[in-house]
Amino acid sequence: MAISSAALTAEFTNMNFGFGPSALEQALINSYASQTTVAGGLTDEQARLATAQLVGDTTAVAGLTYQFFTGGIPSEPGFFFLVNSEGNGNLNQNANDLNDPYYADFNQENRYYNF
């Protein structure tokens, strides 16, 4: 059974601390879902892995940068602060978290540099 775009979007949002995909990420997710319906296209698992990679472009920046400077990885509240501090119940809002529009046009390498 082919996985739907809505299901992949929900998985992306859950993995990305409640923050939904950007327009470009949504287009990629839609493409992954449509490829699961084509003979010889992606399997559901491949579509899920490709979607998870999109999330990794944000969360990996937070985790690896934090680890580089502190020698450890952030706790769950720490990830919320670094990745998506808006609307998660965190009293310490981060105006420059990795899901803010400032980072939207950056590729993975430039997210590291600027973060």
Side-chain angles (χ1 to χ4, degrees), residues 3 13-14 32 34-35 49 52 60 67 70 77 89-91 97 109-110 113:
I3 192 165
T13 302
N14 289 337
Y32 301 151
S34 68
Q35 291 177 53
L49 289 172
Q67 183 178 30
T70 68
N90 187 347
L91 298 176
D97 66 54
E109 292 80 10
N110 285 327
Y113 296 140

Side-chain angles (χ1 to χ4, degrees), residues 14-31:
N14 289 337
M15 289 184 284
N16 202 28
F17 300 98
F19 202 88
S22 68
L24 175 61
E25 291 165 334
Q26 186 63 59
L28 289 169
I29 290 169
N30 294 343
S31 172

Side-chain angles (χ1 to χ4, degrees), residues 18-70:
F19 202 88
S22 68
L24 175 61
E25 291 165 334
Q26 186 63 59
L28 289 169
I29 290 169
N30 294 343
S31 172
Y32 301 151
S34 68
Q35 291 177 53
T36 63
T37 63
V38 177
L42 297 176
T43 65
D44 287 357
E45 186 61 26
Q46 289 170 324
R48 284 188 168 105
L49 289 172
T51 300
Q53 179 60 45
L54 294 175
V55 176
D57 291 346
T58 298
T59 57
V61 171
L64 293 174
T65 302
Y66 192 92
Q67 183 178 30
F68 177 80
F69 287 106
T70 68

